[in-house]
Every structure is written in structure tokens, then in C-alpha cells.
Amino acid sequence: MHYIAEPVKSFAKGAQDMKRGPSAALEEYRGWGLKSYSRDQLEAIHEATLEVLRLTGVEFHSEEALDILEGGGCIVDRGTRVVRFPAHVVERAIATAPRQILLAARDPRHDFLLGGRRIGFTNFGCGIKVLDPATGELTESTKDDVGRAARLCDATENLDICATALVARDMPDSSYDLHILEQMFLNTSKHVTHVDVSGGTNARRMFEMAALIAGGREELRERPLMSILTCPTSPLMIHESVCEIIIEGARWGVPVLVLSMVMAGATGPVTLSGSLVTHNAEVLAGITLAQLTYPGAPSIYGSSTTILDMVSGNAPLGAPEEGMICAAAGALAQMYALPSWTSGAWADSKIEDAQAGHEKTISALLPALAGVNMMYGMGVLESGMTFSPTQLMLDNEIVAMIKRVVLGSPVNDDAMGVDVIHRVASGKNFLKEKHTLKYMEQEQSKVHLFDRRTRGAWEKRGATSVAERAADMAVRLLETHEPLPLDPVIHEGMKAIIAEAEAAGGLSAGARTGTTRRW
Amino acid sequence: VGTATLTKDEAIERAIRAVLDVDEEASVRVAEEALASGLDPLTVLQEGFTVGMRQAGELFEAEEMSLPEMILAADCMMAALAVLEAALPANSRVESLGTVVIGTIEGDVHDIGKTIVGTLLAVSGFEVHDLGRDVSIADFVRTAKETGAHLVGSSALMTTTMAGQQKLERALAEAGLRGRVKTMVGGAAATQGWADKIGADVYAESATEAVQRAKEAVA
């Protein structure tokens, strides 16, 4: 029992463990990134935006919003409802908005700090169909699906906060959004972002529901357990319900994400820079309304702006331009010192295929490298129409890799391991070095669903596709994952708020019926 | 020197743990203390370190242990083995499963995989002669003859050097060795189909599988 190895060649005797003095004023980056537009180009977009806001303005379909904006120094035409913004009003609003926002979670271990160039990922958001991971069947989403999706998101490691994945289409108009929130709080202990709020009245009811968990209205302001995503109508229009949500959110101190969805070529100029101007005008108009309502209100700068595909007539969110615009939107938000939120990890593909994989990566990697604070899109297919639990599992793996890229790799004497290189010298390997063991966790990505094995090892494990393995994982997680329970007394309080909304909407108690499904 | 006396069970348990913890110092210490306690070196080796190494191989195969850790576990085992073997009388050496000559085919300098296979064969009880990389056919044959090898393993990463594995088959036959020497082929380019085609006895896709197949081939 001997191991007689080849002779040891050492070329570097005496060169090991030499003294290396400290370096003076070394410039270094931590984390990897990309530059989209230069500071001058971003300033040019900002100046063009201020010009549009000052001369053309934005239409606001809310008397209350018009009152607030007029009171804050804007020029309001009550007949056309067009609001024109002096530059100093907009720039003061940018200045009063906080640079960092706490997205608090029911379980404080999931609290997420939004700001700087820290990145995070969440799911989309308002899907109306769900792809059953076990059968591949496509069905209209129900309240029950909302809860299941939230439970799966709760269990998904690289999903940092939890957005409402689906719409409860089996619930009444007066309360469907409240039912969604109830399902969210029941099924996840991460921060909840509601993507489909009907208006100011139900926004207030939601804040009351969240305040039950937080322990009161002031406690909710300290620890906002939820946030709302709301969208201007491009070009240059903000609908009444959106105004109400922005105003109500500002008053309660609940973060509101003003996210514009310009379709370049249709609801904005076809050039990416031109659409960034109208997008920027819409978002800054919304944030100005929030800041004039309550200076210091937690406002988030959002973008789902992309191109309109002139062949299909659809707005692709897995397009490279979407990634470029979101990266540039992130750069604008950084210039304004506002927390940012954009699309990322989207797909236009209808199934969990190669197209989906590519679209997810290209739409996520660009904004991630640009330092966008939150990217939403995990689990989404069909440009946002469909939520796929299987895709969510795949996206968890994709996002892990993207987070690894952003982390970068340190450059210093210990990390470079020059002494180790001298010691190992030519022709040997580094597998047994302490340096390898010390850094391998930090430096190397690991895969759980993707397969890096040999063909034989892959065949032994059933020769399955990654989508098949992801579907299995989704089913298994749904069977086993138990979210942090919600206090039944709080749940009863939420139900009472929902019943009150339904009564106000003219619905008698017990009139709604839910649909349950098995996935 | 002031160390507590180990029972057989304690020595075995600590030997297994030292290998799985990839702690070379601990492995050597257990071996030394076992000897100082008058325990049978062969028992400590076979029921302790060898078992630990087998478990490490199983953990690696189950993807619960990383490649560097498994190789370091093998080092722990080899370090302990050196201590225990030195204590054996000259006429009662640890019995080898067989002698293996391995190397990477001439023209090919890729040898990480081959080295890992060699290490695992050694800790599994084979006497291994690793000729390194870029090894000429003549060197393979000469070493096989000199060492009385039971198994000759050759590795080829590239399709261009694969042909060397076939030449090696022929050269071993011409040297009259093919009767007692089994052959094993590996490397990224090699497949079971290739092994069948050139008449090699053993092909395996992973290092742990190679050990298993090698044991079967020389049994």
C-alpha cells in the first residue's frame, strides 16, 4: 500500500512567505458592476425630464392630488387636469425622499434594507394564470393559488421579499385585493409587496390589516410590513386610483413604488433614451406627489419600461432593451439617491424552456450589475401573464448565480495566494491547498437543479431535464414548507376588515365562493 | 509521552473521525497513540482509517463532501498509514490488493483526474506507481514489467491522445504481459464503447467508480 508519486519539482525555493508591505491609497471596487450611461448623459436625461415636466406636464386624474400639487408650488390647470412642475419643486421632492428604506418583514430575519447599490430579487406580480408544476395544466388564478404561490416564495431561498404573484380572480371586485393580502400574510413571513391594489380606500384597509400585525399605525410606520407597487399610465398620465395609493401610502409611511411601464415606440419615443425621459417624468411626478403629501415619505423609483415589439405587437420583458433600460433607470435612481426597483428575471416564453432561461438571465444580469436595489420577475412566464412554480425554482438558481457575479472576487495578497502559487509551482494542482478550502465556499457557485455532472452520472440520476427536476422541487417544497403561523386573532381582525369592505361594496356576507385546487 | 491509553474502540472511532474531519495532525496522533497503547496496527488501519476513507468516498459520491476534502481525507489516511506501517514487522507488511501502474498518455499533460484516481486506489489498498503525465508507451510497459503490475491504467483527455491507449494495449500484448495484466482506461475522451473497442478491461466514469471496478478486475 504505497503511493509512489512523480518527483516533486520546485522552481520557487526561497520565494515563499516573503514580506509584503501594506499598499498606500489603493483604489478598489467591492463587487462587480457595469456602467450604462455616463454622468453627463444621465444629467442630460434629467434636464430633458425637467423640461417635459415644466412645459408639457403630467395629467393627474384626482382632485385631491391636484390640490396637493398646487399647494406645493405646481402650476395646475383644473380644466385639463394637467400639472406643470417647476424644476425646484421636483428637485426638492427628490431631496426630501429617503435614500434608504426598510422593507420590514413579519419575521425580522427577513427584513430587507433597500438602498445604496445593494441588490435583491423578488417575484412578479399580478399574474392571472398559473402553470401546475405536477401536470403542466394552465388555469386561471384563484385566491387559493395566491396563497400557494406565496408559500412557495416564502420557501425560495434567493427571493428576498415576497410580491403578490397572482390575482384572486374568484373573489369579488370590492375585496379581491384584500383577499390577496390576507393570503400573503398567512403564507409568508417575508416583506409583502402588493402589486394589484384597486385604490386608496382598499389601500387604507390594507394598512389597517398590516397595522394589526405591526401593533398599531405608528408601529407600522416604524416597521412597514408591506409596500405597494403602482403604475402611471404612459405617456404622462397618473390615474385616480394611483394618486390615491400614493397619497394614502405617504400618509401612513408605507413605501410606495412608482413604477412606469413605457413601451418604447408606442407610449414613449422609440429610442431608449427618449422613453427614459417620459418614464423618468412619470416616476418623478408620482414621487413629487408623495413628497408634497408627506415630506420624507418612503418612495421607491421603479421601472418596467421596455420596447414595443413591432412584429408581435407585444411588450417583451425578456428583451435585451428591457435589461438596458432597467440598468439605466437604476443609474438615474442612484444619481437621485433614491432606492430603485425594476424588472429583472422576466421571460416572454410560455413554458420553462431555453428561451425562458436566456430571457431570465439577460433581463436580470444587466440591472443587477447596475446595482438596482430590487428586481422583480422570479417565477414569471408569458410577459407577466403566467406564474410558474417550476420557473420560480429555476429562477432561484439563476438569481443565486447573478448574486455571485455581483459579489465579485477580492484582490489582495491572501486572496491571490501568490505564496500558494510559489509552493505548488508547475504542473501540480491546488486541490489540497488550505487556500482552496478557505476560499472555495466564498468563491464558487454551487448548483442544485442545474447539472454539472458527467453524462454517465446524469444518466444514473434519471437523465432528466432541468425543468423536470425543478417541477419536482416545487411540488416537494409545497408539500413540506410551513410558513411562520399568523396569530389567529390577527387573522380574524383581517377578515373583519375584508367583510366591512364587501358590505360597503354591496355584497352580503357569504356571497363569495372560493375555488380550491391541488398544485 | 503522557498520552492516555486508547482502547481499540476509541482508536477506531477517532481514526474514522480524523479522516472525515480531514484533520491530518489528528490522524497521525491517533495512529501514534494507538501504537503507544499497544494496539494492533493492522486492526486500527483496517477497521479505523480504511473505514473512514470508505465513508469519505461515499460522502463524495453523494455530493456531501467536496473534492478537495476527499483528497485531503486520503492524505490523512496516507499519513496515518505511514506511522502504522513503520510499526509492522518487515515480514508482515499490509497486504496489497494489487499493484497498479497509472499515467497520462504521451502527448497529454492533463493529469488531475488521473492523480485523483491514483490517490483513491492507494488509500483503497493498492500499491500505486504513478508515472505522471506525458508518459511514453515504453515507460508504461517497462514499469508494468518491473513492478509485476496487476493493472495498468492510462488516461487521455483529448481525442488525439486516445489512440495512445490503443497502442498501449498492443504494446502490453507484444511484451507478453497481457495475460496477467489488466488494463484500465479513463479520461474525458474515453468511454465504455472505446474501452470495448480497444479491448481494455476496465472503464469507469468517476474516480470512486474506478476504484470499485479496479477491485473487481484484480479479484
Side-chain angles (χ1 to χ4, degrees):
Chain A
M1 242 203 263
H2 299 281
Y3 183 74
I4 300 149
E6 51 190 308
V8 176
K9 299 174 217 145
S10 179
F11 297 100
K13 284 234 154 61
Q16 295 170 32
D17 302 323
M18 69 177 78
K19 276 188 185 173
R20 299 177 201 277
S23 307
L26 198 69
E27 252 186 79
E28 61 177 25
Y29 292 124
R30 207 175 40 200
W32 276 21
L34 69 79
K35 300 275 180 218
S36 52
Y37 287 125
S38 70
R39 177 76 191 200
D40 286 346
Q41 289 172 303
L42 294 172
E43 295 274 6
I45 291 169
H46 176 59
E47 282 157 20
T49 305
L50 290 179
E51 184 185 321
V52 169
L53 285 170
R54 190 176 75 247
L55 298 180
T56 297
V58 175
E59 218 173 285
F60 282 78
H61 292 196
S62 152
E63 286 303 319
E64 191 179 15
L66 294 178
D67 291 343
I68 293 168
L69 291 164
E70 196 166 42
C74 296
I75 301 137
V76 175
D77 183 328
R78 293 281 168 169
T80 60
R81 295 185 287 186
V82 168
V83 176
R84 292 190 291 119
F85 294 78
H88 71 272
V89 174
V90 179
E91 294 194 326
R92 196 174 54 226
I94 291 169
T96 58
R99 1 173 113 232
Q100 283 191 332
I101 293 176
L102 171 68
L103 300 179
R106 199 153 66 78
D107 179 347
R109 284 173 299 182
H110 288 307
D111 281 2
F112 192 89
L113 188 64
L114 201 73
R117 293 188 197 165
R118 301 172 194 282
I119 68 157
F121 278 88
T122 184
N123 59 301
F124 183 72
C126 220
I128 58 168
K129 288 175 273 186
V130 62
L131 253 182
D132 187 324
T135 64
E137 193 189 346
L138 187 69
T139 47
E140 286 193 358
S141 61
T142 64
K143 176 177 176 176
D144 189 50
D145 292 333
V146 172
R148 283 171 166 273
R151 190 145 56 81
L152 195 58
C153 288
D154 192 59
T156 302
E157 191 186 348
N158 291 301
L159 187 140
D160 298 294
I161 67 169
C162 195
T164 54
L166 290 159
V167 179
R169 298 176 71 180
D170 55 344
M171 290 294 116
D173 289 349
S174 59
S175 63
Y176 76 96
D177 49 355
L178 304 177
H179 284 286
I180 291 173
L181 189 68
E182 177 204 358
Q183 284 300 305
M184 297 303 292
F185 281 137
L186 279 173
N187 286 287
T188 181
S189 59
K190 295 179 182 176
H191 177 83
V192 171
T193 298
H194 204 310
V195 186
D196 189 16
V197 179
S198 56
T201 310
N202 272 5
R204 181 184 47 73
R205 291 188 175 112
M206 287 180 189
F207 303 155
E208 286 167 359
M209 287 165 75
L212 291 176
I213 303 175
R217 183 167 173 164
E218 282 316 304
E219 286 78 4
L220 183 65
R221 189 182 292 279
E222 285 296 311
R223 290 186 52 76
L225 298 166
M226 65 169 295
S227 51
I228 296 181
L229 184 156
T230 191
C231 300
T233 307
S234 304
L236 304 173
M237 193 187 282
I238 299 187
H239 191 265
E240 183 174 24
S241 63
V242 177
C243 291
E244 290 170 3
I245 290 165
I246 291 172
I247 293 166
E248 204 67 40
R251 287 181 178 146
W252 281 73
V254 170
V256 172
L257 160 60
V258 183
L259 183 142
S260 212
M261 297 189 175
V262 182
M263 293 182 280
T267 60
V270 73
T271 51
L272 306 192
S273 58
S275 272
L276 273 165
V277 172
T278 56
H279 147 93
N280 199 32
E282 292 158 10
V283 175
L284 292 183
I287 289 176
T288 302
L289 174 59
Q291 297 304 316
L292 290 179
T293 304
Y294 194 102
S299 301
I300 304 170
Y301 185 102
S303 171
S304 265
T305 290
T306 186
I307 56 170
L308 183 80
D309 182 87
M310 298 301 184
V311 176
S312 66
N314 284 327
L317 284 142
E321 294 83 356
E322 185 275 340
M324 294 164 73
I325 291 170
C326 289
L332 282 168
Q334 282 159 18
M335 183 171 76
Y336 299 143
L338 294 172
S340 59
W341 174 311
T342 72
S343 309
W346 277 70
D348 304 309
S349 183
K350 316 302 175 279
I351 53 173
E352 305 92 353
D353 61 356
Q355 179 184 334
H358 170 73
E359 290 175 330
K360 293 281 177 179
T361 301
I362 198 164
S363 66
L365 190 56
L366 294 178
L369 286 171
V372 167
N373 302 135
M374 185 59 67
M375 285 150 285
Y376 75 140
M378 293 175 76
V380 85
L381 288 174
E382 200 190 342
S383 316
M385 307 298 279
T386 295
F387 174 77
S388 160
T390 300
Q391 189 64 50
L392 182 65
M393 300 297 99
L394 294 168
D395 294 347
N396 185 51
E397 195 112 332
I398 291 171
V399 165
M401 291 194 192
I402 289 171
K403 285 181 173 173
R404 194 271 165 267
V405 171
V406 170
L407 210 54
S409 179
V411 176
N412 57 56
D413 290 335
D414 193 59
M416 289 188 290
V418 183
D419 291 332
V420 185
I421 297 170
H422 286 316
R423 188 163 59 247
V424 173
S426 313
K428 298 289 182 197
N429 68 63
F430 292 79
L431 285 168
K432 297 196 295 197
E433 297 300 319
K434 282 203 177 78
H435 186 263
T436 305
L437 281 183
K438 178 177 174 185
Y439 282 103
M440 69 182 185
E441 276 297 314
Q442 163 193 326
E443 288 290 293
Q444 300 202 336
S445 63
K446 280 203 190 102
V447 290
H448 302 287
L449 288 172
F450 289 179
D451 187 286
R452 293 170 171 174
R453 302 178 181 97
T454 58
R455 179 172 288 274
W458 169 73
E459 282 170 350
K460 252 183 233 159
R461 285 163 198 263
T464 51
S465 76
V466 71
E468 288 170 304
R469 297 191 292 275
D472 284 348
M473 187 189 235
V475 170
R476 198 171 63 243
L477 272 184
L478 279 163
E479 276 169 5
T480 54
H481 180 68
E482 293 288 342
L484 185 71
L486 184 68
D487 182 341
V489 177
I490 291 173
H491 187 200
E492 285 308 313
M494 288 186 180
K495 284 186 189 165
I497 293 169
I498 295 173
E500 178 257 316
E502 287 170 355
L507 206 70
S508 59
R512 61 190 153 77
T513 51
T515 329
T516 49
R517 232 197 310 275
R518 70 210 163 277
W519 68 270
Chain B
V1 259
T3 49
T5 307
L6 285 180
T7 67
K8 188 186 103 177
D9 287 349
E10 282 168 351
I12 287 169
E13 193 205 319
R14 281 178 51 193
I16 293 172
R17 190 153 18 96
V19 172
L20 291 176
D21 288 348
V22 295
D23 187 338
E24 191 169 326
E25 275 172 37
S27 300
V28 169
R29 207 161 48 236
V30 176
E32 286 168 352
E33 287 178 22
L35 292 178
S37 308
L39 297 173
D40 173 31
L42 270 185
T43 308
V44 176
L45 181 66
Q46 284 162 355
E47 294 178 32
F49 292 105
T50 306
V51 171
M53 193 56 221
R54 192 188 312 133
Q55 289 177 7
E58 285 163 5
L59 286 170
F60 175 69
E61 195 77 341
E63 301 181 356
E64 284 165 29
M65 187 180 247
S66 71
L67 181 59
E69 286 165 334
M70 188 194 54
I71 297 173
L72 283 168
D75 272 11
C76 294
M77 155 114 194
M78 297 304 281
L81 175 65
V83 173
L84 295 171
E85 247 189 352
L88 287 173
N91 58 355
S92 70
R93 294 289 298 261
V94 179
E95 204 179 320
S96 160
L97 287 178
T99 301
V100 184
V101 172
I102 62 167
T104 301
I105 291 288
E106 191 163 16
D108 209 326
V109 295
H110 306 88
D111 75 337
I112 284 192
K114 175 273 300 167
T115 304
I116 293 168
V117 171
T119 305
L120 287 193
L121 285 171
V123 295
S124 303
F126 286 94
E127 181 172 320
V128 177
H129 297 263
D130 187 342
L131 302 180
R133 73 197 70 183
D134 196 10
V135 179
S136 71
I137 304 291
D139 279 350
F140 270 112
V141 175
R142 183 165 36 76
T143 314
K145 208 180 282 180
E146 283 170 9
T147 61
H150 302 90
L151 186 65
V152 173
S154 65
S155 169
L157 179 87
M158 302 178 295
T159 51
T160 47
T161 50
M162 268 172 79
Q165 292 181 324
Q166 191 163 25
K167 283 184 204 152
L168 178 58
E169 286 290 331
R170 292 196 192 119
L172 287 169
E174 281 161 20
L177 291 171
R178 203 55 186 88
R180 63 173 172 87
V181 175
K182 295 280 173 67
T183 56
M184 173 161 80
V185 290
T191 60
Q192 184 63 56
W194 171 246
D196 294 343
K197 187 181 165 193
I198 65 173
D201 300 300
V202 178
Y203 164 78
E205 207 180 60
S206 69
T208 40
E209 197 185 327
V211 171
Q212 192 50 42
R213 295 279 171 85
K215 281 181 184 170
E216 291 161 11
V218 300

